[in-house]
Amino acid sequence: MEQHAMWVGMDVHKKSISVALVVANEDMPERFVVPNDASGVRRLVRRLKAHQGPVRCCYEAGPCGFVLQRRLEKAGISCAVIAPTLIPVQTGCRVKTDRRDALKLAKLLRAGLLTEVRLPTEAEEAVRDLCRCREDAKQDQTRARHRLQKFLLRRGVVYNNGKRSWTGCYYQWLRQLHFEDRNAQRVFDDYLAVVEQQDARLAALDDELEHVAGTPPYRELVGWLRCFRGIDTISAMGLLSELGDIKRFDSARGLMAYVGQVPSEQSSGERTRRGGITKTGNRRLRRLLTESSQHCRLRPAVKGNLRKRRMGQPTWAIAIADKAQRRLHQRYWHLVMKGKPHNVAITAVSREFVGFVWELLVEGRRRATPGGCQPAENMCRH
């Protein structure tokens, strides 16, 4: 510990920043509040730079994003963003205020008990927001379609010309509907207009993601991931945007824990009790991997769109994808034949699928680096 070091904890809100300063060899911390705007941050920077010694700042990751961290780093002040779920909690403390939270962060930072999150670059954050925007648009489209279908069901209007809805024939049937009541027709027209608007919005976002997927640094990674059965361009972009740099995961188990697909455990003494998956970490990443794992029910095969996606891809990526397809199919039906429910089997298969994704991305990065032909350490074994 340096003699004149200072640790700064900040509780960041939309309009204000509560700051606590803890200086080495000083008993009384300093606390104050600044506005959360450009002028307030400049005042904070001047106050921190006036200290004669190293300064280390931190605040919790939250809805305010990484703007404050980037402003402080640009001003030459070291700042870390902390994972909120990994902050130590005192169960006996029942008083929570902004001042106390800021002071707690400063003291924990001094003790080295905080876990930093990986900060994306502005370009990576923009791509991640684009993927999440597409996910929101898909949910809005589903809600709009459900509203229209429930309205038609209340009116006794049922589509019987095919097994599937929302096809070209279904839209043609919708546009031919007419209601005698003026208000009912007005409601139908409004619901249908919203559905068509959401369809156009989703198509535009898909086109933009296709364009981004064809640019560096995503082009090569997306091509590798599309060798897997169940992963196409949109899901591959979602995985990459949420994962970030694969180098931060030393092993496949580390990535499984980050996704929240490792078993929970409450063991003490001679008793060992394991439960369901922890469901901590990135829920979007967990959902994408679980959806992709649904294809493991089908018999392993390479045909149709999967064959087209694999054209021009390296043989090592195709080999890993084929190994995953065979292994996950056998694993799923082994669990089902033992009497496991479908959802439990899919969850177990999805956890193994995470290992194959980690192996593919690590192997690709190893081959892309100079001298990458040497055997890779920590390779995932299946």
Side-chain angles (χ1 to χ4, degrees), residues 332-382:
Y332 172 80
W333 286 108
H334 173 73
L335 293 172
V336 170
M337 297 304 293
K338 286 178 60 177
K340 298 294 184 181
H342 165 75
N343 290 341
V344 174
I346 286 294
T347 300
V349 166
S350 178
R351 180 168 58 249
E352 294 196 18
F353 188 41
V354 173
F356 284 106
V357 171
W358 180 87
E359 180 181 3
L360 182 136
L361 295 177
V362 169
E363 177 69 10
R365 186 172 294 278
R366 182 180 68 87
R367 290 174 178 268
T369 55
C373 295
Q374 300 175 0
E377 298 180 0
N378 297 327
M379 287 301 294
C380 182
R381 297 172 181 172
H382 301 277

Side-chain angles (χ1 to χ4, degrees), residues 273-286:
R273 177 181 297 176
R274 293 185 177 90
I277 60 174
T278 60
K279 293 186 179 180
T280 57
N282 196 308
R283 61 180 179 84
R284 292 181 175 85
L285 194 57
R286 183 169 61 252

Side-chain angles (χ1 to χ4, degrees), residues 93-163:
C93 181
R94 301 303 177 92
V95 179
K96 183 181 184 302
T97 64
D98 294 345
R99 289 163 54 87
R100 289 193 173 206
D101 287 346
L103 181 59
K104 176 183 176 182
L105 285 175
K107 291 182 177 180
L108 290 174
L109 181 64
R110 178 180 60 180
L113 299 177
L114 298 177
T115 303
E116 298 184 32
V117 300
R118 185 229 174 220
L119 300 181
T121 64
E122 293 189 34
E124 290 175 342
E125 188 176 12
V127 172
R128 188 180 66 182
D129 288 341
L130 179 62
C131 293
R132 293 182 178 181
C133 179
R134 195 266 176 192
E135 181 181 341
D136 295 338
K138 184 62 178 178
Q139 294 177 356
D140 293 341
Q141 181 198 52
T142 302
R143 293 191 184 100
R145 287 180 172 183
H146 285 174
R147 292 189 188 104
L148 176 58
Q149 287 181 320
K150 299 306 180 286
F151 168 78
L152 296 177
L153 184 61
R154 291 195 302 270
R155 295 286 173 171
V157 181
V158 181
Y159 178 70
N160 295 317
N161 297 336
K163 295 182 179 180

Side-chain angles (χ1 to χ4, degrees), residues 56-112:
R56 177 71 169 160
C57 305
C58 74
Y59 66 94
E60 297 180 33
C64 293
F66 310 118
V67 176
L68 177 59
Q69 190 274 343
R70 290 173 180 145
R71 287 176 175 175
L72 292 177
E73 291 284 350
K74 188 176 181 180
I77 297 175
S78 175
C79 181
V81 182
I82 305 303
T85 56
L86 300 180
I87 296 176
V89 178
Q90 294 177 336
T91 56
C93 181
R94 301 303 177 92
V95 179
K96 183 181 184 302
T97 64
D98 294 345
R99 289 163 54 87
R100 289 193 173 206
D101 287 346
L103 181 59
K104 176 183 176 182
L105 285 175
K107 291 182 177 180
L108 290 174
L109 181 64
R110 178 180 60 180

